[in-house]
Amino acid sequence: MRILSGIQPSGTIHIGNYFGMVKKMIESQNDGELFAFIASYHALTSVKDKAILEQNTFEAAANFLALGMDPEKSTFWVQHHVKEVLELYWILSNHTSMGLLERAHSYKDKTSRGIQANHGLFSYPVLMAADILLFDSNIVPVGKDQIQHVEMTRDIATSINHSYKQELFVLPESKVDEEVSTVPGTDGAKMSKSYGNTIDMFNTKKKIKKQVMGIVTDSKELEEAKEWETCNIYKLSELFMNEVELKDLQKRYENPGEGYGHFKLSLLEKINEHFAPYEEKRAHLLENPKEVHEILAYGASKASKIAAEKMRIVRDAVGLI
Ligand code: ADP
Ligand code: TRP
């Protein structure tokens, strides 16, 4: 079973990204053959700054490797290192109706938020279909907002299979993890870099402390009993503490004597403890870019072999001799 996942490169990564996506993806290496790539071509639709795109791509690679992406077990590469995807994108474009793309929610959302419509943004789902179909992917783990893109991939694959009267492409299934709940930010709303309410995974100790100390609470005094059920500190602590630790924390809320500052420090300690094992590896990778580039080149060579063979079959099927 092939699992394929594309990740938009983003430099900073917060604990919402981690519990919502990254952790599951790393764990999925045990469920099947994982193909994971950094979606650098897709990022061009929103990042128009050379230095930022380069830095984000590199940091995303270092982050995933530090967090347990295993380049031997899985195939991990940067999208633009395997150029066949663009050739397939063109072939698929000729089997993608305008109507299908016009119905894409994410395109409509982005343009309604004022992002300028251009061809890259409009045809984003075709490139995503090429990513998925090039590797005969069976399962595509995605967030809810990406389900429609996988459905569109199936439509495109069905249309082209029908045109050439053969099972040229595997029809992928999206997999949405209903269990993963939304991680709240420091203000209680969904944690998101666009809301400025994140707790970063890898940042300076000082910055992370500042973020944790900024968690919004009510204004109960030390000598008052506090409600853990509705408290943002408690909700975030649930991600890092085991049952015994949580029971203990509940008691601390219920017994007067401690303030929210104390609970924040307990959470901070757990966060630091949780990510410490990865930090060393990440620091090593950031200081040794050559090592990262070699790992990515190795991933691209593994992905290229599969892509080249698939494109040989596709070209032959459509008459590109
Ligand atoms: P942001 O909202 O900070 O811009 P992205 O949209 O780049 O984050 O999200 C990258 C991945 O992380 C997506 O798969 C998304 O589902 C997941 N994710 C982001 N924020 C959260 C959150 N607060 N809770 C759970 N998952 C999240
Ligand atoms: N569009 C996806 C996102 O924004 C990233 C992506 C690109 C992707 N190509 C993909 C995801 C292929 C899964 C499969 O999150």
Side-chain angles (χ1 to χ4, degrees):
M1 187 187 65
R2 281 202 182 152
I3 308 168
L4 176 126
S5 190
I7 314 118
Q8 293 250 17
S10 133
T12 50
I13 152 167
H14 56 72
I15 63 178
N17 299 142
Y18 180 70
F19 288 102
M21 192 267 280
V22 182
K23 185 165 180 269
K24 293 272 163 195
M25 191 171 90
I26 301 286
E27 286 168 0
S28 74
Q29 296 184 103
N30 301 320
D31 303 338
E33 208 185 337
L34 178 68
F35 286 74
F37 62 93
I38 299 175
S40 47
Y41 282 139
H42 280 107
L44 277 178
T45 62
S46 55
V47 184
K48 303 286 198 296
D49 182 306
K50 168 187 158 70
I52 293 180
L53 184 56
E54 286 177 356
Q55 184 63 21
N56 284 358
T57 304
F58 172 66
E59 275 189 35
N63 289 345
F64 277 90
L65 291 168
L67 288 164
M69 178 65 70
D70 179 342
E72 289 298 336
K73 196 168 184 176
S74 305
T75 304
F76 180 54
W77 75 103
V78 179
Q79 189 181 28
H80 71 270
H81 293 171
V82 180
K83 307 263 188 310
E84 281 83 353
V85 75
L86 289 183
E87 185 182 359
L88 183 56
Y89 161 74
W90 178 250
I91 295 173
L92 299 181
S93 290
N94 292 285
H95 294 267
T96 307
S97 70
M98 292 294 285
L100 184 74
L101 295 178
E102 278 159 1
R103 286 192 293 277
H105 306 309
S106 96
Y107 173 72
K108 287 193 278 191
D109 287 352
K110 285 177 184 159
T111 49
S112 72
R113 280 192 278 128
I115 298 175
Q116 215 199 330
N118 63 28
H119 180 255
L121 198 65
F122 187 61
S123 63
Y124 184 113
V126 190
L127 181 57
M128 184 156 159
D131 292 326
I132 296 170
L133 300 177
L134 185 57
F135 294 94
D136 291 328
S137 316
N138 306 104
I139 304 286
V140 184
V142 285
K144 289 206 179 76
D145 60 325
Q146 298 292 319
I147 298 175
Q148 193 194 26
H149 286 157
V150 181
E151 288 305 314
M152 292 166 84
T153 302
R154 290 172 64 93
D155 290 344
I156 298 169
T158 304
S159 159
I160 195 162
N161 284 350
H162 181 77
S163 287
Y164 295 102
K165 300 186 181 55
Q166 55 180 298
E167 293 300 307
L168 196 50
F169 294 111
V170 171
L171 298 191
E173 310 234 351
S174 56
K175 186 175 155 213
V176 179
D177 202 327
E178 298 292 346
E179 266 176 42
V180 175
S181 47
T182 304
V183 175
T186 52
D187 57 358
K190 175 190 184 279
M191 185 176 290
S192 169
K193 37 179 190 304
S194 30
Y195 303 153
N197 63 356
T198 62
I199 297 175
D200 297 339
M201 279 178 60
F202 299 122
N203 207 324
T204 59
K205 289 266 174 297
K206 197 171 155 199
K207 175 83 189 186
I208 296 175
K209 182 168 182 185
K210 189 160 174 240
Q211 292 173 328
V212 171
M213 296 319 274
I215 298 174
V216 177
T217 62
D218 60 33
S219 50
K220 288 213 170 77
E221 303 288 340
L222 287 186
E223 56 278 7
E224 289 178 86
K226 298 169 190 67
E227 269 178 34
W228 49 269
E229 289 93 335
T230 52
C231 180
N232 290 329
I233 309 169
Y234 186 86
K235 283 184 202 151
L236 286 162
S237 300
E238 281 183 306
L239 299 166
F240 296 93
M241 293 187 188
N242 62 32
E243 269 180 45
V244 178
E245 290 166 327
L246 286 171
K247 280 266 171 294
D248 181 55
L249 185 61
Q250 289 173 15
K251 286 210 189 79
R252 292 171 60 195
Y253 270 80
E254 285 157 5
N255 298 327
E258 283 190 284
Y260 289 116
H262 297 100
F263 306 147
K264 288 177 182 174
L265 288 175
S266 300
L267 170 62
L268 179 65
E269 196 180 304
K270 293 302 290 186
I271 294 176
N272 287 336
E273 205 177 289
H274 195 94
F275 296 123
Y278 309 116
E279 242 160 46
E280 201 180 321
K281 174 134 194 226
R282 180 175 180 269
H284 170 85
L285 292 167
L286 292 181
E287 279 161 26
N288 295 277
K290 194 160 165 268
E291 209 174 295
V292 175
H293 292 305
E294 276 168 13
I295 293 172
L296 293 174
Y298 173 65
S301 80
K302 288 208 288 183
S304 286
K305 280 202 191 84
I306 297 170
E309 175 57 16
K310 183 73 188 180
M311 282 316 295
R312 201 188 53 70
I313 295 167
V314 174
R315 275 183 221 115
D316 183 58
V318 305
L320 294 170
I321 52 166

